[in-house]
């Protein structure tokens, strides 16, 4: 197999994003634009990937996988100049170079493979990925000769009125044979409307040298769309979200209302899981088989095991065990771990706590910094008082404990195996196993109190009338 290297141009400022962040680090479906382009290049068979950036973009390195090589372009002198900066990093044995832009996240491996295949089968020196657009404004136009061959690319700013009517555009992705590319690049000048080194001039130079310049027309023009502003960012987001949902559905996930379901690129979902409307699943969330998620679930970086149900809930870095149930109206914060068949019910907030096998927190509770064993029942309205104003303290509840409704567990506190607490108690001392802890003022009952009170009220009213 002949070696393919990808060079991704990403040094441009992206001023139209009106952002402090480099354009290629803006995210769609939870991943930076550049990550999609790298994936597409790899999927098309590129062994080495070189990204051209500028010095202010150091933070790119933190977001993008380590195997990528970076080349710097200190001054943005044009796309031709940017490609030259990558030259020292292209290995000797490279046959062809894919040149891509870092801001085209909808490119697919299939599309780039087709580009490379056409390039190789036609033995072209250069092959341009083109697209036919109803509105070609802003793009370089493909000027074809009388036999339909690609003659050159003319930039919008340099185009004559006649050329501006051409609807076939340069998408900014190309495949080149490495040697003709760099030979021609040394000849590119800056005699154009923008005073830049245009990569597209290489095509004209190659043609003049009687080299073959070819084109591959993208079957889906939207896949080649570059992002220049936030409107285009939103359009790419919509397109990629649709693609992600489609992949999940084809893999056996039921999505009742795709239009109101948002799933990030890094999410995995098992088959026979049903996603109900108004659900957003982000980050590195993993969902198992046969789960029921939604409606109205917002889940980030969480794990949900097979057969679990999550309804009307917010989860952040939480783990839900097999057949466990969450919601409606639950908030599971980082460090929440529900074991198999556990329950976090209605109006329940849990953070940094383990809820053991089959244990239930069914209603109106706050559980923080707690370890709860198996088979525990937490009565409605129970609160772990985990914060004393200075530090967070632990509550430990052993297996088979019954916590009465409206119990305050003042941490640090330990409830032994099988113990009970009486409803309405504030428990601040450890409870030994199998005991009942009750903290409640004794109830006082005054018989006939209501009748006496009514008589007193009536007398006061009469006295008032006389005066
Ligand atoms: C370029 C093409 C145009 C094509 C369009 C597709 C040229 C001369 N024109 O135009 O035919 O229709 O892309 O979107 O190539 N970049 C650098 N360094 C630079 C300049 C640009 O790294 O000095 C990078 C940018 O970050 C971007 C890519 O190259 O990823 C394209 O640059 P851009 O300024 O968007 O090119 P256009 O003028 O849009
Ligand atoms: Ca552009």
């Amino acid at each position: 197999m002949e070696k393919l290297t990808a060079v991704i141009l990403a040094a441009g400022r992206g001023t139209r994003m009106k952002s402090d962040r480099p354009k290629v680090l803006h995210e769609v479906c939870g991943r930076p634009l550049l990550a999609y382009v790298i994936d597409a290049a790899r999927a098309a068979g590129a062994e080495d990937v070189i990204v051209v950036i500028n010095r202010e973009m150091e933070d790119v390195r933190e977001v993008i996988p380590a195997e990528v090589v970076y080349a710097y372009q200190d001054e943005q002198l044009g796309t031709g100049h940017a490609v030259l900066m990558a030259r020292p990093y292209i290995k000797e044995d490279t046959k062809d170079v894919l040149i891509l832009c870092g801001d085209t996240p909808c490119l697919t491996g299939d599309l780039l493979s087709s580009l490379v295949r056409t390039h190789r089968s036609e033995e072209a020196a250069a092959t341009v990925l083109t697209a036919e657009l109803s509105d070609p404004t802003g793009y370089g136009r493909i000027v074809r000769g009388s036999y339909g061959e690609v003659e050159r690319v003319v930039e919008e700013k340099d185009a004559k009125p006649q050329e501006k009517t051409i609807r076939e555009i340069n998408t900014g992705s190309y495949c080149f044979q490495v040697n003709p590319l760099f030979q021609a690049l040394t000849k590119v000048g800056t005699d154009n409307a923008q005073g830049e080194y245009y990569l597209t001039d290489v095509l004209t130079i190659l043609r003049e040298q009687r080299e073959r310049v070819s084109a591959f027309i993208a079957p889906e023009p939207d896949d080649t769309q570059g992002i220049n502003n936030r409107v285009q960012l939103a359009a790419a987001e919509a397109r990629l979200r649709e693609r992600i949902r489609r992949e999940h559905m084809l893999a056996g996930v039921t999505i009742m209302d795709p239009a109101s379901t948002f799933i990030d690129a890094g999410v995995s979902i098992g088959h026979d899981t049903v996603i109900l409307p108004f659900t957003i699943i982000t980050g590195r969330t993993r969902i198992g088989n046969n789960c029921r998620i939604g409606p109205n679930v917002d889940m980030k970086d969480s794990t949900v095991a097979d057969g679990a149900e999550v309804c009307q809930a917010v989860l952040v870095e939480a783990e839900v065990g097999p057949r466990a149930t969450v919601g409606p109206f639950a908030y599971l914060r980082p460090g929440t771990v529900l074991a198999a068949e556990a329950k976090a019910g209605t109006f329940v907030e849990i953070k940094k706590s383990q809820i053991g096998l089959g244990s239930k927190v069914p209603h109106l509770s706050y559980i923080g910094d707690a370890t709860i064993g198996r088979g525990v029942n937490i009565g409605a309205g129970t609160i772990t008082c985990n914060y004393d104003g200075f530090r967070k303290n632990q509550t430990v509840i052993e297996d088979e404990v019954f916590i009465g409704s409206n119990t305050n567990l003042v941490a640090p506190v330990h409830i032994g195996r099988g113990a009970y607490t009486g409803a309405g108690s504030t428990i601040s001392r450890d409870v030994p196993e199998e005991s009942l802890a009750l903290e409640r003022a004794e109830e006082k009952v005054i018989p006939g109190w209501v009748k006496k009170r009514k008589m007193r009220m009536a007398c006061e009213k009469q006295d008032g009338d006389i005066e």
Side-chain angles (χ1 to χ4, degrees), residues 10 58 76 94 142 145 164 170 183 210 217 221-222 265 403 422 425:
E58 271 300 323
Q76 277 61 68
T94 296
I142 305 293
K164 282 190 186 163
N170 170 22
Q183 273 162 24
R210 312 217 155 271
I217 305 174
D222 287 346
I403 301 289
S425 299

Side-chain angles (χ1 to χ4, degrees), residues 107 111 114-115 128-133 144 168-169 171 215-225:
L107 287 178
L111 178 59
S114 303
L115 172 68
V128 192
L129 181 65
T130 71
E132 282 163 346
L133 303 184
R144 289 186 183 251
E168 187 184 6
I169 60 104
T171 65
F216 180 78
I217 305 174
E220 297 270 358
D222 287 346
D223 287 349
T224 67
Q225 171 79 59

